[in-house]
Amino acid sequence: VSAGVHVHVLGSSAGRAVSDSMGDVLEKRAGVGESWSGRPPIGFEVVEGRLTEGENYGRVVAVLKLVRKGQISKRAGADELDVSRRTIGRALDSPERYGLTD
């Protein structure tokens, strides 16, 4: 903000409020069908600039549910999906994206 950068959040009204304080962090998590740039989250792909469920989305959700319930470890889930434990942790940090909200 102090450097003259302007942030515009596009998409649904579910975006978080943004203030002009340097201490604030903008965190926008796109949902299915919303615009996306960069590497997509596990289980997703970007088609024509939009986040869409990938062909392995169901498998990813099943493994994340097992990890969340404590039935398997993050390491076992990561091995099953051939990703890192950090990737599993990031996915679990976005439960709404994977339908994991109770």
Side-chain angles (χ1 to χ4, degrees):
V1 173
S2 64
V5 175
H6 297 276
V7 177
H8 299 274
V9 179
L10 304 175
S12 71
S13 61
R16 302 218 169 92
V18 180
S19 79
D20 60 358
S21 169
M22 286 300 289
D24 289 337
V25 176
L26 172 66
E27 185 176 289
K28 171 74 169 76
R29 303 222 186 243
V32 174
E34 292 187 31
S35 294
W36 186 270
S37 64
R39 188 173 182 178
I42 184 171
F44 289 89
E45 57 187 46
V46 177
V47 177
E48 295 181 13
R50 302 266 180 213
L51 194 64
T52 58
E53 293 177 3
E55 61 183 56
N56 70 337
Y57 178 80
R59 184 170 178 237
V60 169
V61 170
V63 169
L64 292 175
K65 284 181 180 181
L66 292 173
V67 172
R68 190 164 190 221
K69 291 178 182 178
Q71 294 176 337
I72 63 173
S73 67
K74 281 185 183 180
R75 179 182 302 266
D79 289 346
E80 179 67 30
L81 296 173
D82 196 28
V83 297
S84 69
R85 285 180 287 165
R86 186 173 180 188
T87 298
I88 297 294
R90 286 181 182 153
L92 292 172
D93 287 343
S94 300
E96 64 285 343
R97 181 177 285 152
Y98 297 96
L100 302 176
T101 56
D102 295 332

